[in-house]
């Protein structure tokens, strides 16, 4: 099912992963769309992708920045979602106070 693909992206590293990302499907697709990740099909593909990134540090750095930027853009999603739902919860009464970030 895959490992959390956001961890290396959060640290500004390019992300390589295999075909089995069902545990992190949305996250993997987000990083692919942002140009921060590459899906490889097998060990040979992983070797080729690593060799390409090592040979092109500028591309590696650009992928890392793209991943970090994608994560930064998605920060606060829970708070935004709760804000949208608040008028529909508790009999239509919106919450009087903002939801703390750690909630």
């Amino acid at each position: 099912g895959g490992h959390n693909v956001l961890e290396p992206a959060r640290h500004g590293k390019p992300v390589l992963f295999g075909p089995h990302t069902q545990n992190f499907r949305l996250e993997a697709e987000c990083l692919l769309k942002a140009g921060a990740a590459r899906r490889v099909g097998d060990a040979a593909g992983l070797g080729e992708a690593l060799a390409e990134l090592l040979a092109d540090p500028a591309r590696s750095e650009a992928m890392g920045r793209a991943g970090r930027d994608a994560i930064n853009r998605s920060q606060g999603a829970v708070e935004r979602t709760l804000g949208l739902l608040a008028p529909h919860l508790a009999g239509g009464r919106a919450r009087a106070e903002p939801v703390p970030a750690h909630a």
Side-chain angles (χ1 to χ4, degrees), residues 74-85 99-101 103:
S74 68
Q75 295 295 308
V78 171
E79 290 78 16
R80 289 190 302 273
T81 301
L82 290 174
L84 292 170
L85 292 174
V99 177

Side-chain angles (χ1 to χ4, degrees), residues 1-3 20-25 27:
H3 181 71
H20 305 291
T21 56
Q22 61 267 26
N23 291 341
F24 298 96
R25 182 181 50 81
E27 294 87 345

Side-chain angles (χ1 to χ4, degrees), residues 24-35:
F24 298 96
R25 182 181 50 81
L26 294 176
E27 294 87 345
E29 293 303 320
C30 174
L31 293 177
L32 286 167
K33 184 177 177 183

Side-chain angles (χ1 to χ4, degrees), residues 22-103:
Q22 61 267 26
N23 291 341
F24 298 96
R25 182 181 50 81
L26 294 176
E27 294 87 345
E29 293 303 320
C30 174
L31 293 177
L32 286 167
K33 184 177 177 183
R38 182 170 164 189
R39 186 183 313 268
V40 297
D42 55 23
L46 176 61
E48 291 171 14
L50 284 171
E52 290 172 14
L53 289 173
L54 290 171
D56 190 351
R59 180 176 180 208
S60 179
E61 290 175 22
M63 287 177 70
R65 277 192 307 275
R68 194 175 10 212
D69 291 347
I71 289 173
N72 288 339
R73 282 191 303 274
S74 68
Q75 295 295 308
V78 171
E79 290 78 16
R80 289 190 302 273
T81 301
L82 290 174
L84 292 170
L85 292 174
H88 306 285
L89 300 175
R93 293 176 299 194
R95 294 176 65 113
E97 300 177 23
V99 177
H102 64 278

Side-chain angles (χ1 to χ4, degrees), residues 3-10 12-17 28 31-32 35-39 53 60 63-64 67:
H3 181 71
N4 185 343
V5 296
L6 297 179
E7 289 178 14
R10 186 177 305 119
K13 303 299 180 191
V15 182
L16 303 173
F17 48 79
L31 293 177
L32 286 167
R38 182 170 164 189
R39 186 183 313 268
L53 289 173
S60 179
M63 287 177 70

